[in-house]
Amino acid sequence: MAKVTLQTIADRLGVSRATVSYAFSRPDQLSDGLRRRILEVADELGYAGPNPTARSLRLGRAGALGLIFSETLAYAFADPYSIGFFQGLATAAEDAGVGLLILPLPHGDRRSDTVRDAVVDAFCVMSLPDGHPALAEVLARKLPVVVVDEPYVPGHPFLGIDEPAAGATAARHVLELGHRRLGVAMVGLHEDGHTGWAGPERQRAATFAAMRARREGYQRACEEAGLDWEQVPFYEVARNSREAGRRAGHALLGRDPRPTAILTNTDVLALGVLDAAADLGLKVPEELSVVGFSDSAAEEAGLTTIRQAKQEMGAAAGRLLLSGGTAAPERLLFPYELVVRASTAPPRS
Amino acid sequence: MAKVTLQTIADRLGVSRATVSYAFSRPDQLSDGLRRRILEVADELGYAGPNPTARSLRLGRAGALGLIFSETLAYAFADPYSIGFFQGLATAAEDAGVGLLILPLPHGDRRSDTVRDAVVDAFCVMSLPDGHPALAEVLARKLPVVVVDEPYVPGHPFLGIDEPAAGATAARHVLELGHRRLGVAMVGLHEDGHTGWAGPERQRAATFAAMRARREGYQRACEEAGLDWEQVPFYEVARNSREAGRRAGHALLGRDPRPTAILTNTDVLALGVLDAAADLGLKVPEELSVVGFSDSAAEEAGLTTIRQAKQEMGAAAGRLLLSGGTAAPERLLFPYELVVRASTAPPRS
DNA sequence: ATTAAGACCTTAATTGATTAAGAACGGCCC
DNA sequence: GGGCCGTTCTTAATCAATTAAGGTCTTAAT
């Protein structure tokens, strides 16, 4: 069966290609009888309908939004914060009747042309580390772009929260409860897969801008409270998993003196820290306070965290991209909120 | 700034369009000097690179896999089972360097042409109710298609589990523990948004084939054990949420005599039933046994469930679609497994 | 009878690329 | 100097549609 196009049908009926096109896309331009006959023949020949690619080319619109995410897709789908954002974005796409093209980025050195070849009308870039090659590829496409969380790209709308302020809020919470011995567990600072202690230089050199800024907030709050940041144990993990959190928890809780409060930059990590505390028989919050981030998996575990409007951010990103990019603000900062639950309390004196 | 195409650059340099094309796609066809000049001018003019749509048209491939899902996208992203499947599918797409185009289906009566206009090479259809119009639209595209879970479409590969057998396995588990008073809570049977008791006729009329079959498994096992299915209270909910599960739990546990075991067709629902049990002060598993399904959110809650190889299914679906559809088996049934945890036990005598 | 207005269909330009085949030219060898 | 080969670029067909503008008829009004 050779390919069936508009022309095939036109030839078969002795009419012009344009006529057949009208039969599909503009019924009012044709007599009912001819239209019926065209559709009949189309059906008979097994015509699959106007080729979307050709249509897309002619009409100059792709009908899809591209989504770029630094992690592997499997990972992105495993992260509650990302999922919340996807939901919002998907809702916006749904409302506009466009698809969401999720673009895998080559992991490792394998090169791929997914960004260059993506048939989309706009890009949403999320959580890319500084200098990631995909960003350059996206910008080269000269399509509307919004960036979420990181990195900041001058000239394109940015959606996120005031990271330093949010980080400081989380830290200040435990500091104001009276904690003086803090520990920090963070994921997603670097791309090198390192797990272990991280000193100040390494912390400052983080390639993920949002996490770097969040950490700066932690530090600022600590220093404002008179703590020496260099003395705050800082454990970095490579994967945002409960298991990694447990490992960080064990490392931090194994220190002498033991921290009485641990800050984490994701809820999933915080849950792992709670696991570690349980392993050691430490009571939370009596003997240990834990703060998460994003409020993505915190409620049931009674975790104190910073709540972010993930879905609203996704929806806003979608609307921004689909509105034709008119009058987009440079920086769209969303509200965040400290949610105090049962994982934090004053330290035992 | 008018649109910049290959031709613009060609004209500017006084070379042919083909030459410019070669500069981008086949460097070996050109002298280094000219190629450099072309790329320079391209950069200068702000050329965004060869138009992907035009390329796609010429090359006859879209570089994307279409994913059709009956629920709203926000919902799909909220369901752990779907997410597991997506992960697998995404991994396969990633390996092949193609994108994943997630297609929203119009909810309600709003019509949309997303399926007709989707620029994809193949479709993966998941969990569509019988007779859903989107299926016809997909089939009309005459592209490779695989269907996951439901509905079964003759002539196209089907991926899923042996639903009746899996359902029977779940039911048999509690029956063999000695339970005689069962209750069932199910979601995703009908599209009408109904929540409440469902009699046998309504159960059998479910439009989602997989869930219908799973229920048949429950019934078969019960009848084999000598129970009268008509006497088994059956509560149907419209949304797969913990809250809906709690509601179903309250309904079922409010019956006299109270069921000693409740079967649910998703883990999320089962968690809700556990909530209801907790509300009523019922001890699990001493006073109530609960069985989930899919092993998607069960581990931490200690839920007995049927484990499904969601990720493997996703990966298999992807590979099948990307392999050019050669020699695809008609029906690919995946293994499932009863995982017994702490939510089931013999009834108290 | 003339003219205007519709209805219905065709012509042809356009969307932005890819690529096989061919042409022009220089260099090399005999 | 002619034949041959290689390099480098051009020509032109092709992918599959959309749509403004124009051409025929038919019909109705003056």
Side-chain angles (χ1 to χ4, degrees), chain A residues 3 5-6 21 47 51 55 58:
Chain A
K3 216 163 293 165
T5 70
L6 282 188
S21 176
Y47 181 55
N51 182 308
R55 256 179 134 247
R58 181 64 234 246

Side-chain angles (χ1 to χ4, degrees), chain A residues 75-106:
Chain A
Y75 177 89
F77 281 128
D79 179 42
Y81 172 71
S82 321
I83 291 184
F85 179 82
F86 290 169
Q87 287 183 10
L89 189 63
T91 305
E94 205 154 11
D95 289 345
V98 306
L100 206 54
L101 183 61
I102 304 201
L103 296 169
L105 255 29

Side-chain angles (χ1 to χ4, degrees), chain B residues 235-291:
Chain B
Y235 198 89
E236 177 186 2
V237 299
R239 289 187 43 83
N240 183 31
S241 68
R242 197 157 171 159
E243 195 42 45
R246 173 192 235 124
R247 189 163 159 188
H250 277 290
L252 289 164
L253 295 172
R255 305 271 298 201
D256 186 21
R258 190 171 63 215
T260 61
I262 293 182
L263 305 174
T264 66
N265 70 334
T266 76
D267 282 356
V268 174
L269 234 49
L271 294 180
V273 171
L274 291 181
D275 290 343
D279 291 344
L280 298 172
L282 290 175
K283 281 197 175 153
V284 174
E286 293 83 359
E287 299 170 278
L288 177 69
S289 284
V290 179
V291 184

Side-chain angles (χ1 to χ4, degrees), chain B residues 170-193:
Chain B
R172 232 173 260 135
H173 169 59
V174 292
L175 291 165
E176 284 168 2
L177 285 173
H179 291 271
R180 309 297 294 170
R181 295 203 309 273
L182 305 197
V184 178
M186 288 191 84
V187 67
L189 290 173
H190 294 272
E191 291 171 276
D192 57 8

Side-chain angles (χ1 to χ4, degrees), chain A residues 50-193:
Chain A
N51 182 308
T53 307
R55 256 179 134 247
S56 204
L57 175 60
R58 181 64 234 246
L59 300 178
R61 29 154 286 142
L65 230 58
L67 180 57
I68 311 275
F69 198 88
S70 73
E71 311 289 343
T72 61
L73 296 187
Y75 177 89
F77 281 128
D79 179 42
Y81 172 71
S82 321
I83 291 184
F85 179 82
F86 290 169
Q87 287 183 10
L89 189 63
T91 305
E94 205 154 11
D95 289 345
V98 306
L100 206 54
L101 183 61
I102 304 201
L103 296 169
L105 255 29
H107 217 61
D109 51 351
R110 226 167 4 129
R111 93 164 246 83
S112 100
D113 301 317
T114 27
V115 172
R116 202 176 54 115
D117 292 343
V119 178
V120 298
D121 295 312
F123 283 105
C124 177
V125 171
M126 189 178 186
S127 287
L128 236 44
D130 294 351
H132 194 292
L135 181 63
E137 291 175 31
V138 167
L139 295 179
R141 290 286 306 271
K142 320 239 172 202
L143 291 174
V145 175
V146 305
V147 181
V148 179
D149 285 345
E150 54 207 343
Y152 176 62
V153 183
H156 295 278
F158 171 89
L159 314 200
I161 62 170
D162 183 341
E163 294 283 356
T169 301
R172 232 173 260 135
H173 168 59
V174 292
L175 291 165
E176 284 169 1
L177 285 173
H179 293 270
R180 308 297 294 169
R181 295 204 308 275
L182 305 197
V184 178
M186 287 191 83
V187 66
L189 290 174
H190 293 272
E191 291 172 275
D192 58 8

Side-chain angles (χ1 to χ4, degrees), chain B residues 14-19 22 30-31 34 57-58:
Chain B
V15 300
S16 81
R17 174 167 74 249
T19 307
Y22 283 140
L30 250 56
S31 68
L34 180 56
L57 175 60
R58 182 61 234 244

Side-chain angles (χ1 to χ4, degrees), chain A:
Chain A
M1 179 173 56
K3 216 163 293 165
V4 183
T5 70
L6 282 188
Q7 190 68 65
T8 322
I9 300 170
D11 292 349
R12 185 68 172 278
L13 278 162
V15 299
S16 82
R17 173 166 75 250
T19 307
V20 182
S21 176
Y22 283 140
F24 285 94
S25 55
R26 272 208 265 164
D28 56 309
Q29 298 286 301
L30 252 55
S31 67
D32 260 21
L34 180 55
R35 170 151 196 264
R36 215 187 317 278
R37 267 197 304 145
I38 290 176
L39 295 181
E40 246 165 44
V41 170
D43 196 51
E44 207 171 284
L45 294 177
Y47 181 55
N51 182 308
T53 307
R55 256 179 134 247
S56 204
L57 175 60
R58 181 64 234 246
L59 300 178
R61 29 154 286 142
L65 230 58
L67 180 57
I68 311 275
F69 198 88
S70 73
E71 311 289 343
T72 61
L73 296 187
Y75 177 89
F77 281 128
D79 179 42
Y81 172 71
S82 321
I83 291 184
F85 179 82
F86 290 169
Q87 287 183 10
L89 189 63
T91 305
E94 205 154 11
D95 289 345
V98 306
L100 206 54
L101 183 61
I102 304 201
L103 296 169
L105 255 29
H107 217 61
D109 51 351
R110 226 167 4 129
R111 93 164 246 83
S112 100
D113 301 317
T114 27
V115 172
R116 202 176 54 115
D117 292 343
V119 178
V120 298
D121 295 312
F123 283 105
C124 177
V125 171
M126 189 178 186
S127 287
L128 236 44
D130 294 351
H132 194 292
L135 181 63
E137 291 175 31
V138 167
L139 295 179
R141 290 286 306 271
K142 320 239 172 202
L143 291 174
V145 175
V146 305
V147 181
V148 179
D149 285 345
E150 54 207 343
Y152 176 62
V153 183
H156 295 278
F158 171 89
L159 314 200
I161 62 170
D162 183 341
E163 294 283 356
T169 301
R172 232 173 260 135
H173 168 59
V174 292
L175 291 165
E176 284 169 1
L177 285 173
H179 293 270
R180 308 297 294 169
R181 295 204 308 275
L182 305 197
V184 178
M186 287 191 83
V187 66
L189 290 174
H190 293 272
E191 291 172 275
D192 58 8
H194 174 70
T195 289
W197 301 107
E201 356 42 71
R202 185 172 164 88
Q203 292 172 28
R204 271 191 302 273
T207 53
F208 286 87
M211 295 307 164
R212 196 172 57 221
R214 196 173 291 178
R215 187 212 64 83
E216 271 158 26
Y218 291 160
Q219 177 172 357
R220 203 178 62 205
C222 285
E223 290 175 344
E224 280 170 10
L227 292 194
D228 178 7
W229 179 257
E230 305 248 348
Q231 301 302 316
V232 177
F234 189 105
Y235 199 89
E236 177 186 1
V237 298
R239 289 186 43 82
N240 183 31
S241 68
R242 196 158 173 158
E243 195 43 44
R246 173 192 235 124
R247 190 163 159 189
H250 277 290
L252 289 164
L253 296 172
R255 307 270 296 201
D256 185 21
R258 192 170 61 214
T260 61
I262 293 182
L263 304 175
T264 66
N265 70 332
T266 75
D267 282 355
V268 174
L269 233 50
L271 294 180
V273 171
L274 292 182
D275 290 344
D279 291 345
L280 299 172
L282 290 174
K283 280 199 177 150
V284 173
E286 293 82 0
E287 298 171 280
L288 177 70
S289 285
V290 179
V291 183
F293 211 106
S294 297
D295 197 26
S296 48
E299 181 148 17
E300 288 156 28
L303 196 66
T304 295
T305 191
I306 298 284
R307 172 176 296 157
Q308 287 182 264
K310 340 179 233 320
Q311 299 212 19
E312 284 77 359
M313 285 177 62
R319 278 194 305 268
L320 223 57
L321 290 172
L322 293 165
S323 69
T326 48
E330 259 288 277
R331 245 188 150 95
L332 214 57
L333 291 186
F334 285 75
Y336 60 90
E337 181 192 3
L338 175 73
V339 181
V340 179
R341 295 206 184 89
S343 71
T344 49
R348 275 216 295 227
S349 48

Side-chain angles (χ1 to χ4, degrees), chain B residues 144-160:
Chain B
V145 175
V146 304
V147 181
V148 179
D149 285 344
E150 54 207 344
Y152 177 63
V153 182
H156 295 279
F158 171 90
L159 314 198

